[in-house]
Amino acid sequence: LHLLGGNLMALLLARGTLAAARCWRGDQAVLRRSRVMKQVVPVSALRPLASSVAAYSLDLDPPADPATPRHDWTRSEIDAIFNQPFSELLHQASAVHRQAFDPQEVQRCTLLSIKTGGCTEDCKYCSQSVRYKTHVKPTPTLKLNEVLEAARRAKAVGSTRFCMGAAWREMGRKKKAFAEILEMVREVRKLDMEVCCTLGMLNEVQAMQLKEAGLTAYNHNLDTSPEFYPKVITTRSYEDRLQTIENVRNAGISVCCGGILGLGESENDRVGLLHTLATLPEHPESVPINALVSVDGTPLGAESAPEPVTALDMTRMIATARLVMPRTMIRLSAGRLDFTEAEQALMFFAGANSVFSGDQLLTTPNPSDDKDQALFDKLGLQGKPAFKEAVNVRHERLQAPAPGPIRITHVRRQ
């Protein structure tokens, strides 16, 4: 190594920025972070680094490029990312997150159950299924004025996305109910808020009608991996869910699709869920990561629930999602009451940039608006404005030309 007496690369290695660096390949350098992370960059891109040691505190080359997200991940690649040392995973995810998003911005969303209970599905975690005896009782669909009042309250406390959920297997032939929902979407959109719905399965025509009404996003979670899914739900297939996602995407509506940790799945199943999401034709606009909230009366109630999800479980999932889907909003969703403020801060650092606010998340408890505001104040976070997309941020020093050759021959970790 002959570059500033070796000080530059020593500093980069000390920060964990590069696991190894190898040159030459003509006029290109091969930067390798791990067994699966490799990127070839022009040697000219390294030249600005020689101008100022002060710049070395930032990443030389992140493991994922937010400007050009990949859709061809292999499951083994995602598994290697997921299972690397926690500190390295966290470092990489934070670096990528800062390239696509303002790390101090976290979107606050509000989720309202507009039709509660009475669902015919057999999802083992759900309190709204008619198959289980839980504290939830079926209620009729809320009226338009009730929904608008809730939306105005949500906006007043800082929410910029308003989500409406109905406990249905599918919209089917619910023409009257669907017409009411379309009117809700139109009116909430007039409040200058992002509008999201989760109504079960949709066909192509229904998706187009929601788009025309002004719907921003549609939530339809996959819940877990294709392999583990039949152990959780039998009344709707994985393919059914993927078809609804395709219908929504084809209508030009943003897809919100994620999963739940703590259903009894293995880490391999968590990797499988991320692989499915990261290899869709378009990455979901947002990915909710939920921790199971056990509800008495369901097959996954408190007495029979699997091992509880830890903060490290959640953070590892969030960080991996950030790396394989760098321009996607990662929504820290159900189960936040089980995590301390410090643990939630770790999740934000790993790439989570959205939360659901309000003391009720459909039928389960959630941190209140006041508690979330206090957390934001402690961490120096601010709300993300509505309709603000990820940005294309490439480090200026990787593009700025500079005279003079730099040749890195090899680096050996001591």
Side-chain angles (χ1 to χ4, degrees), residues 101-112:
F101 297 96
D102 182 338
Q104 269 69 58
E105 280 189 352
V106 175
Q107 184 176 38
R108 294 172 70 167
C109 309
T110 295
L111 175 59
L112 175 69

Side-chain angles (χ1 to χ4, degrees), residues 302-412:
E303 295 184 358
S304 54
E307 287 292 318
V309 177
T310 68
L312 293 183
D313 292 331
M314 289 288 287
T315 305
R316 188 174 287 278
M317 190 73 171
I318 289 166
T320 307
R322 172 55 66 223
L323 286 170
V324 298
M325 295 174 283
R327 295 176 61 82
T328 291
M329 296 287 295
I330 308 296
R331 304 194 187 278
L332 182 52
S333 303
R336 279 202 298 134
L337 279 176
D338 292 334
F339 304 116
T340 67
E341 291 182 339
E343 289 170 337
Q344 291 181 63
L346 188 66
M347 297 172 201
F348 294 138
F349 185 78
N353 57 348
S354 177
V355 296
F356 283 99
S357 291
D359 54 12
Q360 187 90 347
L361 196 60
L362 292 180
T363 64
T364 57
N366 194 58
S368 67
D369 294 313
D370 290 342
K371 285 188 176 180
D372 276 340
Q373 186 58 56
L375 176 61
F376 275 41
D377 291 342
K378 290 178 183 178
L379 300 180
L381 300 176
Q382 59 188 11
K384 175 182 174 290
F387 309 107
K388 183 177 180 181
E389 298 182 355
V391 296
N392 287 322
V393 178
R394 299 296 302 270
H395 234 290
E396 292 182 2
R397 71 174 185 280
L398 292 183
Q399 298 180 358
I406 293 179
R407 180 173 181 175
I408 303 173
T409 58
H410 66 278
V411 175
R412 177 180 298 169

Side-chain angles (χ1 to χ4, degrees), residues 291-306:
L292 175 69
V293 179
S294 298
V295 178
D296 289 339
T298 66
L300 294 178
E303 295 184 358
S304 54

Side-chain angles (χ1 to χ4, degrees), residues 177-222:
F178 190 53
E180 293 173 348
I181 289 171
L182 292 175
E183 186 63 19
M184 293 175 187
V185 171
R186 294 187 192 99
E187 293 301 314
V188 174
R189 186 62 183 265
K190 290 178 182 179
L191 300 177
D192 197 28
M193 300 181 76
E194 297 175 13
V195 190
C196 179
C197 284
T198 177
L199 313 169
M201 291 186 288
L202 291 179
N203 60 37
E204 293 178 340
V205 173
Q206 292 163 340
M208 287 301 303
Q209 289 176 307
L210 285 167
K211 173 65 176 177
E212 292 167 0
L215 190 71
T216 309
Y218 193 85
N219 169 260
H220 202 62
N221 289 338
L222 291 175

